[in-house]
Amino acid sequence: MNPLQVAPHTLARSLGDWQGDGPLHRALASGLRVLILDGRVPLAARLPSERALAQALGLSRTTVAGAYDTLRADGYAVSRRGSGTVAALPGPSLSLPSVPGTEGLIDLSRASPPAASAVPEAVRGAAEDLPRFLRDSGYDGTGLPHLRAVIAAHYTDRGLPTAPAEVLVTLGAQHAIHLLTHVQLNPGDRALIESPTYPHALDALRSARARVVPVPVSAEDGWDTDVALEALRRSRAALAYLMPDFHNPTGASMPADARERLIAAAEQSGTVLLADETTALLDLGTAPEQNPTVPEAAGPQSAQAPASSPTGVLPPPLGAGVRGGARTVVHIGSAGKLFWGGLRVGWIRAERGLIDRLVSARSAFDLGTPVVEQLATARLLEALAQVRAERGELLRAGEQTLRRLAAVHLPDWELPPVAGGISVWARLPQPGSSALALAAHARGLLVPAGPRFGPDGSAFERKIRLPFTSSPKELEAAVPLLAEAWGQARGGGRPPRNPRRIPDTVV
Ligand SMILES: Cc1ncc(COP(=O)(O)O)c(C=O)c1O
């Protein structure tokens, strides 16, 4: 990810009255150190060049260079090739490593917001809870009873009565998908998947050697229910992987009648529906409140309508209140987008028999979920309403910025409306998504091409996923680069001779 750039005049304003006794460069270093310690200059943000800051402050460049030297010597700044001087804190390097090949790039391949503000406090609370667990081995292949109870209560509150024994805590939703596909599928089994879909679910199905049956979902019209039911009937798929609320990448949500028909059809064909809710609770809070499956609360339905406002009632999970729902649907949840990807906690809600089989199978893959992260996740789930309200604000700001910038720089791209989720599935005026991703990469911007989201690699050349989980500042840097890249890609410009391999993790 590209470092944030601190503007020289902003920094000069933040410094205020910084001069004191003693040499100027020391006083300046001391003022800058206070801003870094206060968080007013974010860690890893790029400081202005010596010349630019000297100009903004009316100083000589030597004074600024001396101040930067002092900051570096004290550990409050580091110099990075290609990034200039960036703010730091003394001590061992505490940053996340970059994925190889992404160093210095603006990264739109990870549609995942930074940690919710409640995370540090939840982790501190978890550390206080920890002594009660230290006499045990710490290997936990099912999930702490407390967290399983909190997750069970979460589903019960949303209209799907659940016991703690019907919950398995995992290492994130991807781990849950991997476990479920390997336990539920035999090589050669058919598996229904939405097209487009979340790419690593497709990877998991392929690694379980399933035969994939795609069913279309569009950002504009959602699911074609008749086509999906027909595909179920004909394929008698063993499993269907779905994102019924704020589908990644389109943002679409499945209307109530489609849910009911799908569950009835799945019961008939003996198909287990995996409902991935990783993005389900991330609504923007910009559409009228509604509830897609609980009849008393039914409101207007549309493919994009959100299930609730971020501060309001939680949306019912797929199958809640529907006959056979609890049996036919297995739910996957995650702390990843809701709280923070760095927690690496997810879960599966399923009938007890399946949970037991998953627990038995799990030890071939991993030996359990870390205790501290589970304790923190339990605390965060208990503060869900507050976290969702904050998430709604962040996502709204990102979405509005994205639309504003696209209208200026990419006026002929169509960005369908979304009511929640993490991204807009944009429509290009002509095919060229793969060429666009290559041209963007050559300009320092990582964005996965549309075909990465399709079960059939050749589709979606007219689509590109634009995440609104990035900060407005990052989007302001990214969208003009995207427009430049599109200028080259649409003109059929020659792709770079030796393109670097584009990293392939898409979240
Ligand atoms: C729909 C969907 N499912 C699962 C995952 C993986 O989530 P986790 O980080 O919990 O493994 C993601 C992450 O991007 C996702 O978008």
Side-chain angles (χ1 to χ4, degrees), residues 46 56 63 69 75 91 99 126 188 260 323 333 357 382 388 465 488-489:
R46 187 197 301 198
T63 305
D69 281 345
V99 176
E260 286 183 23
R323 223 168 51 97
R357 280 190 287 135
E382 281 161 349
R388 287 182 74 225
R465 184 185 76 167
Q488 182 190 339

Side-chain angles (χ1 to χ4, degrees), residues 210-395:
R211 282 185 288 166
V212 167
V213 180
V215 293
V217 180
S218 88
E220 294 80 6
D221 303 317
W223 289 255
D224 186 330
T225 315
D226 291 336
V227 169
L229 297 193
E230 181 63 12
L232 265 186
R233 200 180 57 74
R234 279 169 171 253
S235 67
R236 306 199 76 76
L239 175 156
Y241 170 82
L242 307 166
M243 290 165 275
D245 291 289
F246 305 136
H247 172 267
N248 176 11
T250 64
S253 291
M254 194 183 282
D257 60 331
R259 292 173 194 242
E260 286 183 23
R261 291 175 66 201
L262 199 65
I263 289 168
E267 276 212 293
Q268 280 213 329
S269 58
T271 307
V272 172
L273 302 179
L274 299 192
D276 184 344
E277 292 202 308
T278 298
T279 54
L281 304 183
L282 298 175
D283 56 284
L284 301 175
T286 47
E289 208 172 282
Q290 68 145 0
N291 186 329
T293 53
V294 180
E296 305 89 282
Q301 311 286 347
S302 84
Q304 291 85 24
S308 74
S309 77
T311 45
V313 192
L314 291 165
L318 182 68
V322 178
R323 223 168 51 97
R327 238 191 350 265
T328 311
V329 187
V330 171
H331 298 87
I332 296 170
S334 172
K337 314 255 175 192
L338 203 49
F339 306 135
W340 188 40
L343 288 169
R344 307 306 313 139
V345 172
W347 55 87
I348 296 168
R349 183 227 172 266
E351 282 196 318
R352 218 176 164 144
L354 176 55
I355 295 288
D356 292 344
R357 280 190 287 135
L358 291 165
V359 172
S360 306
R362 177 178 185 166
S363 46
F365 302 110
D366 75 284
L367 297 176
T369 314
V371 173
V372 176
E373 282 78 354
Q374 290 193 65
L375 291 167
T377 301
R379 285 172 174 264
L380 289 162
L381 277 169
E382 281 161 349
L384 188 58
Q386 171 209 330
V387 174
R388 287 182 74 225
E390 181 187 274
R391 280 304 198 226
E393 261 178 52
L394 178 143
L395 294 171

